[in-house]
Amino acid sequence: SSILREVDRLAARISAQELQLAVLQRQLSPPARARLALRQLTRPVRASVGVLLRKVARNGDLWKFLSAQTLISARVLADLTRGSYGAGLLDVLPHSPLLAVHAPAIYAHIDKIAAHVPGIIPILDQNLHFIEPHLDSILERFDDIEPHLPWVLKHIDELAPYCGELLQHIDSLL
C-alpha cells in the first residue's frame, strides 16, 4: 500500500539522519559534546519554565498569582496524599520522573488543572508516554484546551497516540 511505502521511506530517511547525526557528534570536541548533552538534558525544563514565565507575564499581580497557585498546588498534593481523588499519591509517584521536568508548566496552570485531576490520574499509566513529549505544548495552550478537557479525557485512549498531530492542528480543531 502507498502508506506502507511512505512509512518505509520516512523510516529510511530517519535512519540516515540518525547516522549523520552520530557522525557529526563524534566530530565534536569533548567540551562541545558536554555542552550538547547538557542542552539536550535541560531542553524540557527550559520549555516548561518558559510556559510558566509567559503565564506570569500575562498575569497582572505576580505575588497574587504565585500565592494562589501555591495554595492550589498544596491542596492538590494534600488531596492526593489523602486519596481524595479515588487514587492517591502512590498512583502518581511512578510517573513523577516524567512529570517533574514539566512541574513549572503544571504549576502555571494548576488553578485549572486541579478540577481535572480525578480524570487525569487514571489515564497516566496507559497514555503518559504518548502525551509527555507534548506536555509543554499542551500546557502552553491549556487555557484554550481546558474547556474541552472532559471530552478529551473521555476519549483519551483514541486521541493520545495522535497527540503531536492533533497539536499541530489545534487552532482549526478548536
Side-chain angles (χ1 to χ4, degrees):
S1 97
S2 65
I3 294 174
L4 189 55
R5 281 191 301 277
E6 182 68 12
V7 167
D8 288 341
R9 188 182 67 75
L10 287 173
R13 283 182 42 203
I14 290 169
S15 294
Q17 288 176 340
E18 286 173 341
L19 180 62
Q20 184 181 9
L21 180 62
V23 168
L24 290 172
Q25 287 174 335
R26 281 194 297 272
Q27 294 173 3
L28 291 174
S29 68
R33 263 187 267 161
R35 281 193 309 275
L36 177 64
L38 183 61
R39 194 173 345 143
Q40 290 172 335
L41 196 66
T42 60
R43 184 175 293 134
V45 175
R46 287 182 304 176
S48 185
V49 168
V51 171
L52 174 60
L53 292 176
R54 285 184 291 281
K55 180 75 172 188
V56 166
R58 287 191 304 268
N59 236 288
D61 185 341
L62 170 67
W63 295 113
K64 184 178 177 182
F65 172 75
L66 292 176
S67 64
Q69 297 303 86
T70 301
L71 285 171
I72 295 167
S73 298
R75 190 193 73 219
V76 168
L77 187 57
D79 288 347
L80 279 170
T81 303
R82 285 192 300 268
S84 301
Y85 297 118
L89 194 56
L90 294 177
D91 297 304
V92 177
L93 282 177
H95 307 288
S96 59
L98 283 177
L99 295 173
V101 296
H102 303 285
I106 293 168
Y107 177 85
H109 294 284
I110 195 65
D111 54 330
K112 293 188 177 183
I113 293 171
H116 301 284
V117 170
I120 292 171
I121 291 173
I123 66 138
L124 291 176
D125 284 337
Q126 297 281 328
N127 297 294
L128 186 59
H129 64 283
F130 292 122
I131 296 166
E132 187 274 333
H134 310 285
L135 194 52
D136 290 321
S137 298
I138 292 167
L139 291 167
E140 185 73 56
R141 297 295 304 269
F142 196 74
D143 291 336
D144 300 323
I145 295 169
E146 193 264 341
H148 309 281
L149 199 54
W151 183 87
V152 169
L153 291 173
K154 183 177 178 183
H155 301 282
I156 196 68
D157 291 333
E158 295 85 16
L159 297 172
Y162 305 101
C163 190
E165 292 86 352
L166 290 168
L167 282 169
Q168 290 174 355
H169 303 285
I170 189 97
D171 289 319
S172 58
L173 289 169
L174 294 175

